[in-house]
Short mmCIF file of all heavy atoms in Angstrom, two decimals:
data_model
loop_
_atom_site.label_atom_id
_atom_site.label_comp_id
_atom_site.label_asym_id
_atom_site.label_seq_id
_atom_site.Cartn_x
_atom_site.Cartn_y
_atom_site.Cartn_z
N THR A 79 111.68 96.28 110.54
CA THR A 79 110.50 96.98 111.16
C THR A 79 110.39 96.58 112.60
O THR A 79 109.88 97.35 113.37
CB THR A 79 109.21 96.70 110.33
OG1 THR A 79 109.46 97.08 108.97
CG2 THR A 79 108.06 97.43 110.88
N VAL A 80 110.76 95.36 113.00
CA VAL A 80 110.53 94.94 114.36
C VAL A 80 111.79 95.03 115.23
O VAL A 80 111.77 94.61 116.40
CB VAL A 80 109.95 93.51 114.41
CG1 VAL A 80 108.62 93.37 113.68
CG2 VAL A 80 110.93 92.46 113.89
N GLN A 81 112.83 95.58 114.69
CA GLN A 81 114.08 95.65 115.47
C GLN A 81 113.89 96.51 116.74
O GLN A 81 113.18 97.50 116.71
CB GLN A 81 115.23 96.15 114.66
CG GLN A 81 115.19 97.61 114.32
CD GLN A 81 116.37 98.08 113.52
OE1 GLN A 81 117.27 97.33 113.21
NE2 GLN A 81 116.39 99.36 113.18
N ASN A 82 114.50 96.09 117.78
CA ASN A 82 114.52 96.79 119.07
C ASN A 82 113.13 96.90 119.76
O ASN A 82 112.94 97.77 120.61
CB ASN A 82 115.14 98.22 118.92
CG ASN A 82 116.57 98.13 118.37
OD1 ASN A 82 117.33 97.29 118.78
ND2 ASN A 82 116.83 99.01 117.47
N LEU A 83 112.23 96.02 119.43
CA LEU A 83 110.94 96.05 120.07
C LEU A 83 110.95 95.03 121.23
O LEU A 83 111.63 94.00 121.23
CB LEU A 83 109.80 95.54 119.12
CG LEU A 83 109.38 96.52 118.06
CD1 LEU A 83 108.27 95.85 117.17
CD2 LEU A 83 108.89 97.81 118.59
N THR A 84 110.20 95.36 122.30
CA THR A 84 109.95 94.43 123.34
C THR A 84 108.81 93.47 122.89
O THR A 84 108.08 93.76 121.93
CB THR A 84 109.50 95.13 124.63
OG1 THR A 84 108.20 95.72 124.38
CG2 THR A 84 110.51 96.16 125.09
N ASP A 85 108.68 92.37 123.61
CA ASP A 85 107.56 91.43 123.31
C ASP A 85 106.22 92.13 123.49
O ASP A 85 105.30 91.88 122.71
CB ASP A 85 107.66 90.20 124.20
CG ASP A 85 108.89 89.35 123.92
OD1 ASP A 85 109.42 89.43 122.76
OD2 ASP A 85 109.36 88.63 124.79
N GLU A 86 106.15 93.00 124.50
CA GLU A 86 104.85 93.68 124.74
C GLU A 86 104.52 94.61 123.56
O GLU A 86 103.41 94.71 123.10
CB GLU A 86 104.99 94.51 126.01
CG GLU A 86 105.03 93.66 127.25
CD GLU A 86 106.39 92.95 127.51
OE1 GLU A 86 107.47 93.49 127.04
OE2 GLU A 86 106.38 91.86 128.10
N GLN A 87 105.51 95.34 123.04
CA GLN A 87 105.31 96.20 121.88
C GLN A 87 104.91 95.39 120.68
O GLN A 87 104.05 95.76 119.89
CB GLN A 87 106.59 97.02 121.56
CG GLN A 87 106.86 98.12 122.57
CD GLN A 87 108.18 98.77 122.28
OE1 GLN A 87 109.21 98.10 122.14
NE2 GLN A 87 108.15 100.12 122.20
N ALA A 88 105.49 94.19 120.51
CA ALA A 88 105.21 93.37 119.35
C ALA A 88 103.79 92.78 119.40
O ALA A 88 103.26 92.38 118.41
CB ALA A 88 106.20 92.21 119.32
N ARG A 89 103.19 92.84 120.61
CA ARG A 89 101.76 92.45 120.78
C ARG A 89 100.73 93.55 120.62
O ARG A 89 99.54 93.35 120.58
CB ARG A 89 101.56 91.79 122.14
CG ARG A 89 102.22 90.43 122.25
CD ARG A 89 101.87 89.80 123.62
NE ARG A 89 102.60 88.58 123.77
CZ ARG A 89 103.79 88.45 124.36
NH1 ARG A 89 104.36 89.51 124.90
NH2 ARG A 89 104.39 87.31 124.45
N GLU A 90 101.23 94.80 120.63
CA GLU A 90 100.32 95.99 120.63
C GLU A 90 99.62 96.17 119.28
O GLU A 90 100.15 95.84 118.25
CB GLU A 90 101.11 97.25 121.02
CG GLU A 90 101.44 97.33 122.43
CD GLU A 90 102.12 98.70 122.78
OE1 GLU A 90 101.68 99.70 122.21
OE2 GLU A 90 103.00 98.66 123.66
N ARG A 91 98.41 96.72 119.36
CA ARG A 91 97.59 97.08 118.21
C ARG A 91 97.39 98.59 118.20
O ARG A 91 96.37 99.06 118.62
CB ARG A 91 96.24 96.37 118.29
CG ARG A 91 96.22 94.95 117.99
CD ARG A 91 94.80 94.40 118.00
NE ARG A 91 93.85 95.37 117.46
CZ ARG A 91 92.64 95.59 117.99
NH1 ARG A 91 92.27 94.94 119.04
NH2 ARG A 91 91.84 96.50 117.45
N PRO A 92 98.34 99.34 117.61
CA PRO A 92 98.18 100.79 117.61
C PRO A 92 97.33 101.34 116.52
O PRO A 92 97.13 102.56 116.43
CB PRO A 92 99.69 101.24 117.44
CG PRO A 92 100.29 100.17 116.67
CD PRO A 92 99.65 98.93 117.08
#
Side-chain angles (χ1 to χ4, degrees):
T79 304
V80 300
Q81 72 179 0
N82 302 319
L83 287 180
T84 65
D85 294 335
E86 292 73 28
Q87 289 173 308
R89 288 185 186 92
E90 286 186 35
R91 283 186 35 223

